[in-house]
Structure formats: structure tokens, C-alpha cells
Amino acid sequence: MGCFFSRRRKPAQGGQQQPQGTGQDAVAGEQTAPQYSWDLRAKIDPKDYTFSGLKNETVGRLPGKVAGQQFVIQDCEDCKIYIFDHSATITIDDCVNCQIFLGPVKGSVFFRDCKDCKCVVACQQFRTRDCRKLEVFLCCATQPIIESSTGMKFGCFQYYYPELALQFKDAGLSIFNNIWSDIHDFTPGENNWGLLPETAVVEDYVPLPSSEELKAVRVSNDAAKSIIPITRGQRQKNSDESCLTVFFAGDYTTANARKLIDEMTSKGFQLVQTKEVLMKAEDAHRVFQQSALEFIPLLEKGPVVALEFNGDGAVEQCQSTINEVFSGTKVFVSEGKASASQDVDNFYNFAEMQMGM
């Protein structure tokens, strides 16, 4: 029996096969096999997206070499591992005394049964289980989770290389959504985690790559160049005075926010937290109160970027800087010291509800 796509030729009279045609006749007589979309996809070799069983090695992937695929790191010891690209998810199992950099991960990063590792990680979700003594410079869009893990230390992600900003976008991550220090411990009752010193320097934990291939990435560990704004997170504030500043969507929103951060931190004020989130008209009344009607039309243009600064005189200095540097830009700034703390609480309570935290 012929298959569905086969064609049976009728023999010529006398039992002889009719001769095949040539040229257009031959082409017309041939039955071409159909092509499907899955036949056209590039073949994925899992080995290209796995580091396994390595010891005393420096390995990595250059920008463009992972391109959103899943990655697995397992059974590595005394290794330096660098993933300079964005990925879908990454699992790290049974690694000991490794130094690991992971570029932006669209989904989850999951450490299991690892110990004595130092890491720089950017992801949507961060989880550990059965780990011991991990020191992590983290950017995480959702609450980091640890389970059955001890000796965990966390700091704010600080890293730069030229392709990193675009990789964050490809992974669907905002550089302003980073709650690195808001750890949820599924094994309460013990002191399982803490924060790295404020003076901690990435280079002392995960040094720059030494191999000639990976040096080409042009990495900088200079905190001032970090693609992620460095925030205090859950550390105790130095002052009772905080100021909320909100930039509305536009061509220069990110640049303006970064400029204000530079201006304020250079004057000794501390950046506590940042957030990028969509707002609706009904949200404006809750957050901006008497100024809501002025800002409602701007909310339709896209997400807002909010910054919280802390320090004595933060409100006055922030208002002064906005007037001097951003005079032509619509910006919400806390209007006075008395209402500033309430403005901060109103916005971040709204943002947590909006983002499902």
C-alpha cells in the first residue's frame, strides 16, 4: 500500500513502464515532500547549553550564544562560570566553590544542593533549596525565596558590559524592578540569611574573566557604571526623611531617572528603592492625591519610574534638582517633608499590589 503522499504510475500497454519526462514535464511529475515549520528550525544541541562535571576551569558563553534558551550548570567544582547573555531559565545543581555570573534570565534561577559559591545574578525569580554559604549580588523582579538553606548573603546587583541593557529588554526585565533584599525564607526560625556589607565590591567575589575569549566582553565592575541602580533595599535608613520622585513615560524616562540618581547620590543622599510600573487613572488619586488631575493624562503613555531617596533635606534637595535640571519635564515630587513618607508608602503599597507581590 502506498503512503498518503505516494503516487503510483500506470505501466504502459505491453507491461512496459512509460519513460519519465524531461524539463518541465519531469518537474510536474515529481511529488515534493511537504515542509513544516519545525523542520526549518535550527537544531538545538543540549550540550551547547550545559556546563557539567567541570573542575578548576574557566568557562562561559559570549553575548548572542545563548539567545533566550534554557541553561543547566551541574556538578562543577572550583570553576569560574560566566553567562554573558540572556536566557529563559537556569538551574544550578551540586556546584561547590564556584564563582558564577548569570546575565538576565527571563524566568527563574534555581540553585539546588550548592555550597560555598559566589554569584552575580539577574532574573525574574530567584530560588534556592538545600544550599549552604552562597553570596549573591542579585537583581530580582520578585521576592527571592530560599528553602532549607543556610549562610546565605545578599547584595545589590552591580555590573556592566555594552550588551547588558539590551539583554535586560530581551529578557523582559526592568532595571528599576529589583527587590534583591526582600528575602522570603521557607525555613523560618533560624538566622539563615543576611545582607553583604555595604562596602562589598563585586570584583572581590566574582572577578573579571581571565580567558582571552571572555575578556572581549568588556566587563566593568565599577559600581558607578552598573546597569542596575544600586539601592539600600531593606537596610536601615539613615534618616527619617524620604522623598518620592516619579518620572512619566517618554523618550528620556530612563536617562532622566539615572541623571537624578547621579545628582542626588553625589550630594550624599541614598537611593532606597526604585520601581517601574503601569498606573491607571484611578491609581493616580491614591498616589498623587491633590495633584492627580495634572498627571492622569501622562499615565496613558506607559509605565512610570519611581525613585525613593533618603537623607536629611532629601525633599528640598530633590525639588531643587528637578527645578534646575528637569525644568521642562513633568515630574511628581513629594511636596513637603510632612507628606513625603506617606507619598512613599502610598506608591509602594500600590506597586506591590499591582505586581502581585
Side-chain angles (χ1 to χ4, degrees):
M1 180 181 293
C3 70
F4 182 79
F5 295 109
S6 66
R7 176 179 296 176
R8 181 177 298 173
R9 291 190 179 93
K10 293 182 179 180
Q13 289 187 357
Q16 295 183 352
Q17 184 82 23
Q18 291 185 357
Q20 295 184 12
T22 59
Q24 293 182 349
D25 292 337
V27 173
E30 294 178 355
Q31 180 69 35
T32 58
Q35 283 190 316
Y36 300 97
S37 59
W38 52 82
D39 292 326
L40 303 177
R41 295 175 186 165
K43 301 300 182 183
I44 301 297
D45 187 347
K47 293 181 180 179
D48 293 335
Y49 305 96
T50 303
F51 290 137
S52 180
L54 305 180
K55 190 170 183 178
N56 291 310
E57 293 192 42
T58 296
V59 293
R61 289 289 183 267
L62 295 172
K65 296 300 183 181
V66 179
Q69 297 293 328
Q70 298 180 5
F71 209 96
V72 174
I73 301 170
Q74 59 188 15
D75 300 309
C76 294
E77 184 176 353
D78 300 322
C79 289
K80 295 180 175 65
I81 299 170
Y82 304 86
I83 307 296
F84 290 130
D85 205 358
H86 71 102
S87 54
T89 62
I90 296 184
T91 56
I92 304 96
D93 292 330
D94 300 290
C95 289
V96 178
N97 196 35
C98 290
Q99 297 164 312
I100 301 171
F101 172 85
L102 303 180
V105 181
K106 185 174 184 177
S108 65
V109 170
F110 199 177
F111 285 82
R112 298 178 295 198
D113 299 289
C114 296
K115 63 180 180 180
D116 298 314
C117 291
K118 297 175 173 60
C119 314
V120 181
V121 178
C123 59
Q124 175 73 21
Q125 182 185 53
F126 178 88
R127 294 189 63 188
T128 72
R129 190 175 67 206
D130 300 318
C131 292
R132 180 167 62 85
K133 290 187 66 177
L134 266 59
E135 296 172 314
V136 186
F137 289 85
L138 179 64
C139 173
C140 190
T142 58
Q143 188 175 33
I145 295 171
I146 66 172
E147 181 179 2
S148 302
S149 299
T150 60
M152 310 292 289
K153 298 289 184 181
F154 294 92
C156 183
F157 182 103
Q158 43 190 279
Y159 220 76
Y160 170 84
Y161 53 88
E163 299 85 355
L164 189 53
L166 182 58
Q167 291 173 4
F168 265 87
K169 290 183 179 180
D170 288 339
L173 301 178
S174 168
I175 63 171
F176 296 108
N177 289 335
N178 181 17
I179 53 174
W180 61 271
S181 62
D182 188 16
I183 311 299
H184 180 75
D185 187 357
F186 267 121
T187 314
E190 300 179 17
N191 188 20
N192 296 322
W193 67 274
L195 302 182
L196 290 169
E198 290 186 65
T199 55
V201 179
V202 170
E203 175 71 16
D204 296 335
Y205 294 79
V206 181
L208 297 178
S210 56
S211 71
E212 291 301 320
E213 179 187 29
L214 297 175
K215 281 182 180 179
V217 179
R218 295 185 292 157
V219 171
S220 172
N221 282 337
D222 184 351
K225 294 183 179 180
S226 175
I227 195 72
I228 297 295
I230 299 175
T231 56
R232 288 186 62 77
Q234 299 291 319
R235 291 190 177 101
Q236 185 175 357
K237 296 177 182 179
N238 291 342
S239 169
D240 292 333
E241 183 176 349
S242 287
C243 179
L244 175 70
T245 303
V246 179
F247 287 91
F248 298 90
D251 294 336
Y252 305 104
T253 304
T254 298
N256 287 342
R258 298 305 298 257
K259 176 65 174 174
L260 182 60
I261 292 170
D262 291 343
E263 292 283 338
M264 292 293 288
T265 54
S266 70
K267 294 177 172 64
F269 297 95
Q270 295 180 321
L271 181 66
V272 177
Q273 56 183 331
T274 65
K275 194 72 69 179
E276 183 172 11
V277 66
L278 284 167
M279 295 184 68
K280 299 177 182 179
E282 55 266 30
D283 304 321
H285 293 283
R286 176 181 176 183
V287 175
F288 304 129
Q289 299 182 23
Q290 65 268 24
S291 303
L293 292 178
E294 178 184 358
F295 297 120
I296 284 176
L298 303 176
L299 300 180
E300 298 177 357
K301 297 182 179 180
V304 303
V305 172
L307 313 172
E308 179 190 352
F309 296 100
N310 181 259
D312 293 341
V315 173
E316 182 180 354
Q317 183 59 59
C318 202
Q319 290 172 335
S320 174
T321 302
I322 291 294
N323 292 335
E324 292 175 8
V325 181
F326 305 97
S327 57
T329 304
K330 280 281 188 182
V331 185
F332 172 83
V333 188
S334 299
E335 294 186 357
K337 180 179 177 180
S339 63
S341 295
Q342 188 61 51
D343 290 339
V344 170
D345 291 341
N346 286 343
F347 182 85
Y348 285 103
N349 287 338
F350 148 76
E352 288 176 3
M353 291 177 61
Q354 187 78 357
M355 301 180 73
M357 295 178 188

